[in-house]
Amino acid sequence: MGSQGGWGQSKEFLDLVKSIGEARSKAEEDRIVLQEIETLKRRINEPDVPRRKMKEYIIRLVYVEMLGHDASFGYIHAVKMTHDDSLLLKRTGYLAVTLFLNEDHDLIILIVNTIQKDLRSDNYLVVCAALAAVCKLINEETIPAVLPQVVELLGHPKETVRKKAIMALHRFHQRAPTTMSHLISNFRKRLCDNDPGVMGATLCPLFDLITEDANSYKDLVMSFVSILKQVAERRLSKAYDYHQMPAPFIQIKLLKILGLLGSGDKQASGAMYNVLEDIFKKSEPSSNIGNAVLYECICCVSSICQNDKLLKTAAEVTSKFLKSESHNLKYMGIDALGRLLKRNPEIAEEHQLAVIDCLEDPDDTLKRKTFELLHKMTKSSNVEVIVDRMIDYMISISDNHYKTDIASRCVELAEQYAPSNHWFIQIMNKVFEHAGDLVDVRVAHNFMRLIANGEDDEGAGSQLRSSAVVSYLHILAEPKLPSVFLQVICWVLGEYGITDGKFSASYITGKLCDVAEARSNDDTVRAYAIAAIMKICAFEIAAGRKVELLPECQSLIDELSASHSTDLQQIAYELQALLGLDARAVETIMPYDASCEDIEVDRSLSFLNSFVNQSLQNGARPYIPESERPGTLNISNYGAHDQLEAPSHALRFEAYELPKPSPPPIPPALLAAAPVADLVAVPESAYFSTEPHQPSEPLGGAAMSPAEHGLRLRLEGVQKKWGRPSYSSSSSSSSSSAPSVSAPSAQKPANGVANANGAAAAAGAQARDSSYDSRRNPLVEVSAEKQRLAASLFGGSSARREPPPAAPPAAGRRAVKPVATVVAPAAPPAPPAGDLLDFGEPSPPPAAAAAVDPFQQLEGLLGPASAASSQNSTVGAVAADLLSLHADPPASLAEISLPGKNPLAEISLVGPAAPSSPVVKKGPNPQDSLEKDALQRQLGVVPSGQNPNLFRDLLG
């Protein structure tokens, strides 16, 4: 553990504390703490850590938390330490837990049982530690678990336990008052406890209860007075003295309680006078704690019923505070003087010079407190001086919060004690100019109403408005003005700018246009400006004078007509419409000086009754109230249904309906690529018929709803992405590594018509697939390397991989289980180009397949009639018949494939489509059964180039 340092801690811990104290920057301190966190994470989880060492780790975690870092990884270890039997470790655990956790933490539940056990302990130190944790950790939900035990501890023989039990009950009352309502009487009983510490602790919950309801505790006035008198007479032991003051904190709490109980109660106040006078005499003003007791005594005197002798004594003490050199005592004196002014305003006259000295003090806190005092001292005789000093101070400070407070006080005093309207306008102009954005908008509206109402004398009112216009035109020359002040200026200029005839309409409108152009980002100011221009134009038209707008004014109207703000657009269009009206209409619309007239609002819209009646007679539908409309709340049915129907616009929590099946959309590429002849009517049974003989594939087509009818496109060869396996493109099974072709599904007859050439059908389907894919991803270009990689991994879009039988599978590729597949003969195509998916694997030339065709040899065995029929029948029919006989071929059957490359794959990728053969309708043929039997016997046999006569050998 290293050498021991002070307090029994290791040298490592002391070095940590020292390094943190010597850190020169926050970054260096964080680096030290983060390093300590890593060390603690490693060591605290080691097995068999000694308890003494774990105690040190917990204390180091406390340091980590104190410095603002997360130590949650060690919370559980602190909780475990509270379970320890050692008192030192248990108290350390409780200390750490109270610092780490809050009342809603998840780990609180783990220590409730421990607290219950410790509250029943015989060691009072353990009980005290548990009670201290209870005050911090127990929340409203866990209070009932420990409340009975805490109440029992009120009768504990140790005074320290009783004191902490009172504190715990006080905390319970703060968090859950209803839980403690039946235990309030315990506080009254503990007030008479023999120990002064328990009595002093009881004063705190009683103070909260008296603050809530003082009348319920009037009977305790004499008890509080008796206790205060005993404390002031030094009847308590010297252990409760602080700087030679007897129990000063108990005195302060008692004075606060007496101030609450004596407020408005003359009888209760009379019982307090003598003890308050004794405290004034016996308190020592030489110490801070003595001055604190005197200050609280002054507050009590100012709260209870007035007593002249006590007020005089309190004023003398306040004068000593104001004359002190200490700023703290001056601050107390200013606050005490403000309280005494409520009882006797004449007291402030004796301390005018002291107040002025505090107003000029460089201490900003003291100056602000002095302005609060001046606000209380203001009356009609001194309002001008006080408001001027407050405005000067408001201009000098930069704190917006306090500037707002000073501005509101100036406005309040100016409205209440203004000697004249001219002075009021000047003060308001200063307030708006220096704190306009911080002033409430309602103040601006009240100010405009005052200017509109004017004075009782009409001549004086006109002079007031004229002086306001002159002053505002002068103020507009200032570079920066608040938005609220500009709104007031625009309103005044629009209402009274041309009233006295000193200024022309063009001059005022020009000024207003300048304001609107200067505040292009403030729509409110621009709205006030354009509204003021409209008023001036209306007054000119009503007076019979011709209105000639300035060019800049006309450009402003045009600009606002296309503004993004609908309010500005509306005002601009209204102004344009106003300019085209006659004088009588304008005078009716905008009467002169009618801004303060009351507007009667007809909420029932009775002026529309005749129009409504006429419309109803003409057959219009009557209006249905919103409550009676379908889908909304119907109050009339409330009693019948016992529940309310949710309105249509409310949130709905019902589950959504299942989606209805819908046909997949037909891409435009398929519509453009498919010929008109392919759009044929398909019977429902034929179009939606299933194919039980078709082998399953990983990807297939989606089945459409059988309820849909009508013309449908032929989708043979079109690959479908979801649902049941269906038609697959010929490219999906074509690859250079898989020369065999699975073509039956691409050649199935539809609507009774079969294709004559399977290769042509596959090539056309591949072309449509390529067109569809190109339209679906027009911006994605797939390189040849990616195509080869996709073919090697997935074997094409159908995900069917069939390795060639002649060549072994490539390295790294998994061999695919062979599946029986029959390849139908196709017409010899034109010489194809190179295979894009050719990986260079050895394969015979394509001519080998054309030279020796085992199917032709098979047809030769069946006779010339069979051969002719086979040439004229479709490949799709043969494949369909074959698969109908063998719907589920065994997986062990070998593959029937042609050697060499797949010509269909080459045609579908790069080669032209083979010409189609004439379509021949399939009919009854006596050779069909022979063909089926012959092909059936050959399943599972893989012909190769080495044995071209295999069929002849098998058939003898």
Side-chain angles (χ1 to χ4, degrees):
M1 190 173 67
S3 61
Q4 295 291 326
W7 310 295
Q9 305 299 331
S10 65
K11 184 177 182 301
E12 184 181 1
F13 174 68
L14 298 178
D15 291 341
L16 170 66
V17 177
K18 182 179 178 181
S19 60
I20 292 175
E22 295 176 353
R24 298 182 178 180
S25 63
K26 177 63 176 173
E28 182 179 357
E29 177 186 291
D30 292 343
R31 180 182 57 80
I32 296 172
V33 175
L34 291 176
Q35 184 178 0
E36 178 68 13
I37 290 175
E38 296 299 326
T39 303
L40 290 175
K41 283 183 178 180
R42 183 177 65 256
R43 294 185 179 180
I44 205 169
N45 292 321
E46 293 178 354
D48 300 331
V49 179
R51 296 191 302 171
R52 185 180 182 87
K53 199 66 177 177
M54 182 60 71
K55 170 179 170 291
E56 179 181 324
Y57 292 159
I58 296 298
I59 296 175
R60 290 160 72 171
L61 287 175
V62 173
Y63 269 84
V64 170
E65 286 275 337
M66 288 169 55
L67 295 174
H69 294 264
D70 182 31
S72 58
F73 62 90
Y75 288 176
I76 188 64
H77 296 281
V79 173
K80 291 179 180 179
M81 188 166 287
T82 60
H83 304 163
D84 202 288
D85 296 332
S86 173
L87 177 61
L88 181 60
L89 296 180
K90 182 181 289 291
R91 295 182 66 177
T92 303
Y94 274 128
L95 173 64
V97 166
T98 54
L99 294 175
F100 290 158
L101 308 182
N102 55 52
E103 59 182 14
D104 297 325
H105 200 277
D106 296 336
L107 295 177
I108 293 296
I109 195 65
L110 299 180
I111 64 174
V112 172
N113 188 31
T114 305
I115 291 177
Q116 290 177 332
K117 184 183 68 173
D118 292 340
L119 290 177
R120 294 189 296 267
S121 175
D122 297 333
N123 190 341
Y124 79 97
L125 295 177
V126 174
V127 177
C128 291
L131 287 172
V134 162
C135 296
K136 181 69 189 310
L137 301 178
I138 298 301
N139 53 27
E140 185 175 356
E141 297 178 355
T142 54
I143 285 176
V146 298
L147 180 59
Q149 295 173 328
V150 174
V151 174
E152 290 178 3
L153 292 176
L154 292 176
H156 198 276
K158 282 289 184 179
E159 63 277 0
T160 307
V161 176
R162 297 198 302 271
K163 177 180 177 181
K164 289 186 177 292
I166 290 290
M167 297 169 62
L169 291 177
H170 183 202
R171 188 62 172 168
F172 293 166
H173 179 264
Q174 291 177 340
R175 294 188 177 178
T178 56
T179 308
M180 290 290 300
S181 58
H182 63 289
L183 300 174
I184 300 300
S185 59
N186 290 281
F187 295 133
R188 290 174 172 263
K189 295 177 182 178
R190 291 302 104 191
L191 188 63
C192 303
D193 197 282
N194 295 328
D195 185 75
V198 179
M199 180 271 299
T202 309
L203 295 177
C204 296
L206 287 175
F207 175 76
D208 292 345
L209 294 172
I210 293 172
T211 304
E212 297 172 1
D213 183 16
N215 294 327
S216 300
Y217 300 89
K218 292 287 187 180
D219 56 326
L220 296 178
V221 171
M222 297 307 299
S223 299
F224 290 130
V225 170
S226 175
I227 294 173
L228 182 58
K229 185 176 181 180
Q230 294 180 42
V231 173
E233 294 177 353
R234 298 179 180 272
R235 294 188 181 182
L236 300 183
S237 65
K238 292 288 185 180
Y240 294 95
D241 288 358
Y242 181 76
H243 287 272
Q244 300 180 358
M245 280 293 297
F249 301 104
I250 294 179
Q251 292 190 52
I252 291 173
K253 185 63 67 175
L254 286 170
L255 289 171
K256 289 182 177 181
I257 293 175
L258 292 177
L260 294 174
L261 295 175
S263 179
D265 190 338
K266 189 173 182 179
Q267 181 179 359
S269 300
M272 306 174 190
Y273 293 154
N274 294 332
V275 68
L276 291 176
E277 187 175 357
D278 292 341
I279 292 177
F280 274 124
K281 294 178 180 180
K282 295 179 180 180
S283 296
E284 295 290 338
S286 57
S287 61
N288 288 333
I289 191 64
N291 292 324
V293 174
L294 289 174
Y295 168 77
E296 200 60 50
C297 196
I298 294 173
C299 295
C300 181
V301 169
S302 62
S303 300
I304 64 176
C305 294
Q306 183 173 345
N307 182 276
D308 295 337
K309 185 177 181 180
L310 287 177
L311 282 176
K312 184 178 180 180
T313 306
E316 293 176 356
V317 175
T318 302
S319 178
K320 294 179 182 179
F321 288 162
L322 292 173
K323 294 177 181 179
S324 175
E325 297 295 333
S326 174
H327 287 172
N328 295 331
L329 294 180
K330 285 184 178 180
Y331 187 93
M332 289 172 53
I334 293 293
D335 185 80
L337 184 59
R339 294 176 182 272
L340 294 177
L341 286 176
K342 300 177 183 178
R343 297 297 180 184
N344 187 5
E346 297 179 357
I347 296 178
E349 297 179 359
E350 303 175 2
H351 308 286
Q352 292 181 2
L353 296 179
V355 173
I356 296 300
D357 292 340
C358 294
L359 194 61
E360 297 175 353
D361 195 279
D363 190 340
D364 196 58
T365 305
L366 181 59
K367 188 179 295 185
R368 294 181 182 182
K369 194 65 177 179
T370 306
F371 276 116
E372 294 181 9
L373 175 63
L374 292 177
H375 179 263
K376 299 176 182 178
M377 295 172 55
T378 304
K379 49 188 177 180
S380 300
S381 58
N382 59 3
V383 62
E384 298 181 23
V385 178
I386 292 177
V387 171
D388 288 341
R389 296 297 296 269
M390 295 177 72
I391 290 177
D392 293 340
Y393 179 67
M394 181 187 67
I395 297 173
S396 63
I397 62 177
S398 58
D399 185 1
N400 289 337
H401 176 74
Y402 196 65
K403 183 179 286 189
T404 303
D405 183 60
I406 292 292
S408 61
R409 292 177 185 272
C410 291
V411 171
E412 179 184 352
L413 295 178
E415 291 178 348
Q416 188 173 358
Y417 301 106
S420 63
N421 287 336
H422 289 280
W423 179 85
F424 178 74
I425 291 177
Q426 292 177 0
I427 294 300
M428 294 302 298
N429 289 344
K430 290 182 180 179
V431 172
F432 282 128
E433 182 178 357
H434 298 288
D437 292 333
L438 305 175
V439 178
D440 193 355
V441 179
R442 292 174 294 182
V443 175
H445 292 169
N446 294 336
F447 179 55
M448 289 185 284
R449 180 178 292 275
L450 174 66
I451 294 177
N453 290 333
E455 299 183 3
D456 296 337
D457 187 4
E458 185 64 27
S462 300
Q463 185 179 1
L464 173 67
R465 301 182 189 109
S466 178
S467 62
V469 170
V470 173
S471 63
Y472 288 157
L473 289 174
H474 177 71
I475 292 175
L476 282 178
E478 297 291 336
K480 293 182 179 180
L481 293 174
S483 176
V484 177
F485 195 25
L486 286 175
Q487 296 173 22
V488 175
I489 291 175
C490 292
W491 184 87
V492 172
L493 293 180
E495 289 285 345
Y496 311 108
I498 60 174
T499 302
D500 54 0
K502 293 182 181 180
F503 304 99
S504 63
S506 59
Y507 177 76
I508 300 297
T509 54
K511 290 289 186 181
L512 293 172
C513 288
D514 294 341
V515 172
E517 292 175 358
R519 302 301 291 261
S520 58
N521 297 329
D522 194 339
D523 291 344
T524 305
V525 173
R526 304 189 89 187
Y528 269 87
I530 193 67
I533 294 174
M534 183 167 59
K535 292 178 185 178
I536 293 175
C537 294
F539 298 157
E540 289 289 298
I541 294 174
R545 294 187 288 269
K546 184 179 181 181
V547 177
E548 295 182 359
L549 293 178
L550 299 176
E552 57 268 22
C553 186
Q554 185 62 46
S555 62
L556 176 64
I557 296 174
D558 297 338
E559 177 186 355
L560 297 183
S561 299
S563 173
H564 293 289
S565 174
T566 56
D567 295 335
L568 294 179
Q569 284 190 24
Q570 179 179 351
I571 299 175
Y573 282 114
E574 289 177 354
L575 176 55
Q576 293 177 356
L578 183 70
L579 296 175
L581 300 178
D582 57 359
R584 182 178 179 182
V586 171
E587 186 176 3
T588 304
I589 295 172
M590 300 186 68
Y592 173 73
D593 196 15
S595 58
C596 291
E597 293 183 1
D598 295 333
I599 300 176
E600 297 181 1
V601 179
D602 187 3
R603 298 185 180 276
S604 62
L605 305 179
S606 58
F607 58 90
L608 293 176
N609 290 340
S610 59
F611 172 78
V612 171
N613 295 332
Q614 183 66 30
S615 299
L616 292 175
Q617 293 177 2
N618 295 335
R621 297 179 60 185
Y623 174 76
I624 302 176
E626 185 177 0
S627 59
E628 300 178 5
R629 298 173 189 172
T632 58
L633 186 65
N634 192 352
I635 300 177
S636 61
N637 297 332
Y638 178 78
H641 296 84
D642 293 332
Q643 59 181 359
L644 298 180
E645 189 176 357
S648 59
H649 60 273
L651 291 176
R652 299 179 61 187
F653 299 95
E654 297 85 359
Y656 289 108
E657 296 180 357
L658 294 176
K660 297 180 180 179
S662 59
I666 300 175
L670 291 180
L671 295 177
V676 181
D678 287 345
L679 191 63
V680 296
V682 181
E684 183 177 339
S685 60
Y687 188 78
F688 295 101
S689 63
T690 59
E691 302 178 39
H693 55 272
Q694 185 174 351
S696 60
E697 300 178 4
L699 295 174
M704 297 173 58
S705 174
E708 300 184 8
H709 303 276
L711 297 179
R712 305 185 186 280
L713 288 173
R714 268 193 208 143
L715 300 179
E716 295 86 1
V718 178
Q719 180 185 359
K720 298 183 179 180
K721 298 296 182 185
W722 295 280
R724 195 172 57 248
S726 180
Y727 308 97
S728 59
S729 63
S730 58
S731 63
S732 64
S733 59
S734 62
S735 173
S736 62
S737 61
S740 63
V741 180
S742 177
S745 63
Q747 298 169 352
K748 180 181 177 181
N751 200 17
V753 180
N755 292 332
N757 194 314
Q766 177 64 23
R768 288 193 294 269
D769 275 355
S770 302
S771 175
Y772 172 75
D773 293 338
S774 62
R775 290 294 296 272
R776 183 175 56 184
N777 298 319
L779 301 179
V780 179
E781 297 182 1
V782 182
S783 62
E785 181 179 359
K786 289 185 178 181
Q787 291 181 6
R788 290 193 298 269
L789 180 61
S792 64
L793 293 177
F794 306 106
S797 60
S798 64
R800 179 182 297 180
R801 294 186 291 183
E802 300 173 3
R813 303 174 83 190
R814 200 168 89 180
V816 181
K817 198 172 185 179
V819 180
T821 308
V822 177
V823 181
D835 193 353
L836 291 180
L837 301 180
D838 190 5
F839 292 113
E841 298 179 356
S843 59
V852 181
D853 191 347
F855 286 99
Q856 292 181 1
Q857 298 176 11
L858 175 63
E859 293 168 359
L861 294 176
L862 299 175
S866 175
S869 175
S870 176
Q871 292 177 358
N872 295 332
S873 61
T874 62
V875 179
V878 176
D881 294 339
L882 176 61
L883 293 176
S884 65
L885 293 174
H886 303 277
D888 297 318
S892 62
L893 295 179
E895 237 179 352
I896 300 178
S897 59
L898 293 178
K901 294 185 178 179
N902 187 355
L904 294 181
E906 297 175 356
I907 293 172
S908 62
L909 291 174
V910 295
S916 59
S917 303
V919 179
V920 179
K921 182 178 180 181
K922 181 180 178 181
N925 195 331
Q927 300 297 330
D928 289 345
S929 60
L930 295 177
E931 292 182 75
K932 295 178 182 179
D933 295 339
L935 292 175
Q936 179 181 4
R937 287 194 295 270
Q938 310 309 321
L939 287 176
V941 182
V942 182
S944 62
Q946 299 177 358
N947 190 8
N949 299 323
L950 180 61
F951 288 107
R952 291 185 184 274
D953 298 339
L954 292 174
L955 297 176

